[in-house]
Amino acid sequence: MNDWHSDFVTAIKEELKDEKVEIEQEEYLSKEPLRIDVIIIKKEKDVKINKKIGQIFKRYNIIEYKSPDDYVSIDDYFKGLGYVYLYKSIMNAYDKTRKEVDDIKIDELTLTFVCSNLPKKLISFLVERKIRLDNSDNGVYYIDNEWIPVQIVVLSELENVEENYPLMVLSNNMHFRNAIEKVFSSINGAKEYDNKIRLIEAAFRIDPGIVSEVIKMYADRLSEEQMKYVINNLKEANFKIYTEEELKKSMEKGIENLVIRLLKKKFNDIPEKYIKLIEDADEKTLLQIADNIFEINKIEDIEKYIVS
């Protein structure tokens, strides 16, 4: 059986036998499988990405992410470039079922590094080698003179909360509190909460004190169902927001707001006298009113639940 690779190794060993070199055959480059953190593929080639972090994006966009306690090293930079070239040479195009030669073009690829803080050593290394950086937008550094577009997104430097709040909660960003508030304010319009909860859990690992304050602040803005969902999921993740007494008060406040909203929807306006009665009522009474909302025909009817 022919083994041209082994034949070549024998030949090169013989060729360089008098040189001070070590020759190894088929050395594995990694003990673990090489894995890209994220690949973003445009379904349509020419579609434009509006978000700042995606303005360099082409058809195939490789993302390498570093956690808050990690950084982008010089070797990480070259590894990222290597991933791009491997992806180009190994993977088939998005709209093809099998690999063909050069069906992913080099000008269809980009590379993005995402990290919490500016990788100063890497930037010094690049500058020394005449690779230019352009910080044309706060937190986004574009790298010129590479074969492909490369950018470094520094999460702690991002400033547009409306656009970047999901990323801002992953770092010690100066707008961290505003970003967390944006996560909570967006829950009301979300049919599924799982992604929001995941972001809140991540934010707890950055600054549990600030997140707890925001959760308490938003307790009376969320529905009872939403608040229970948030608290239960965070408790499962071992994040303690409330003492038992605070939790009880928070849930009563949520039910209280729910009852007032239901009554306002039914009667349009509620005299201050009855709002005060509701605010002073205990959880059991509030639940009775909510359960019997369809039997309450006039606002005065709530007195029989509160008085009894």
Side-chain angles (χ1 to χ4, degrees), residues 264-300:
K264 281 185 175 179
K265 189 172 182 179
K266 190 162 187 175
F267 300 113
N268 295 321
D269 187 33
I270 306 175
E272 188 64 32
K273 167 188 173 182
Y274 293 102
I275 290 180
K276 185 67 169 62
L277 286 174
I278 293 168
E279 288 176 344
D280 292 339
D282 59 22
E283 181 180 354
K284 181 179 178 182
T285 300
L286 292 171
L287 288 173
Q288 282 183 327
I289 295 172
D291 289 341
N292 293 280
I293 193 69
F294 297 110
E295 282 71 48
I296 297 174
N297 298 313
K298 55 184 185 298
I299 190 63
E300 291 80 6

Side-chain angles (χ1 to χ4, degrees), residues 16 28 80 132 135 186 206 222 228 235 243 255 297 303:
L16 300 175
Y28 289 100
R132 191 167 64 87
N135 184 18
S186 66
I206 300 296
L222 302 179
K228 278 183 177 178
K235 283 175 73 177
T243 64
I255 300 168
N297 298 313
E303 292 187 28

Side-chain angles (χ1 to χ4, degrees), residues 75-285:
D75 285 342
D76 289 329
Y77 181 78
F78 286 103
K79 184 170 70 173
L81 290 172
Y83 284 163
V84 172
Y85 300 133
L86 278 172
Y87 190 90
K88 183 257 179 293
S89 62
I90 293 173
M91 303 299 290
N92 54 282
Y94 173 72
D95 52 359
K96 295 182 180 178
T97 56
R98 44 187 282 185
K99 168 71 179 171
E100 296 178 15
V101 174
D102 201 33
D103 57 353
I104 294 180
K105 310 298 182 188
I106 192 62
D107 58 5
E108 293 183 311
L109 290 146
T110 73
L111 173 62
T112 297
F113 294 97
V114 179
C115 52
S116 288
N117 300 299
L118 188 67
K120 294 180 181 179
K121 287 185 179 179
L122 171 61
I123 288 177
S124 296
F125 174 86
L126 296 174
V127 170
E128 286 173 5
R129 283 151 183 81
K130 311 301 181 188
I131 296 179
R132 191 167 64 87
L133 279 84
D134 175 23
N135 184 18
S136 62
D137 190 35
N138 290 325
V140 181
Y141 294 79
Y142 302 105
I143 298 174
D144 291 337
N145 302 338
E146 291 289 5
W147 206 348
I148 58 169
V150 180
Q151 67 178 354
I152 301 175
V153 178
V154 181
L155 300 183
S156 62
E157 296 182 11
L158 295 176
E159 292 193 354
N160 189 333
V161 175
E162 190 67 27
E163 180 172 306
N164 297 314
Y165 74 89
L167 293 174
M168 287 177 164
V169 303
L170 301 180
S171 79
N172 55 343
N173 187 285
M174 64 182 295
H175 304 291
F176 180 80
R177 177 187 288 273
N178 292 337
I180 291 296
E181 290 181 13
K182 182 62 181 175
V183 172
F184 272 93
S185 66
S186 66
I187 289 179
N188 283 326
K191 293 181 180 178
E192 300 293 337
Y193 308 137
D194 289 350
N195 286 344
K196 308 291 185 180
I197 294 299
R198 186 67 180 265
L199 289 177
I200 296 168
E201 288 177 4
F204 253 97
R205 291 190 287 273
I206 300 296
D207 193 325
I210 289 179
V211 179
S212 295
E213 289 173 10
V214 173
I215 290 177
K216 293 176 184 180
M217 182 178 73
Y218 272 81
D220 62 348
R221 304 189 196 185
L222 302 179
S223 70
E224 182 186 358
E225 177 190 359
Q226 290 168 337
M227 197 61 193
K228 278 183 177 178
Y229 187 89
V230 169
I231 292 171
N232 289 339
N233 277 273
L234 291 175
K235 283 175 73 177
E236 286 178 10
N238 296 319
F239 292 123
K240 187 174 182 180
I241 310 167
Y242 296 97
T243 64
E244 291 303 316
E245 184 180 351
E246 286 177 321
L247 180 58
K248 184 174 184 294
K249 287 181 179 178
S250 174
M251 297 311 300
E252 284 182 358
K253 186 68 176 175
I255 300 168
E256 173 190 311
N257 289 335
L258 174 64
V259 169
I260 290 174
R261 283 204 300 269
L262 290 172
L263 291 171
K264 281 185 175 179
K265 189 172 182 179
K266 190 162 187 175
F267 300 113
N268 295 321
D269 187 33
I270 306 175
E272 188 64 32
K273 167 188 173 182
Y274 293 102
I275 290 180
K276 185 67 169 62
L277 286 174
I278 293 168
E279 288 176 344
D280 292 339
D282 59 22
E283 181 180 354
K284 181 179 178 182
T285 300

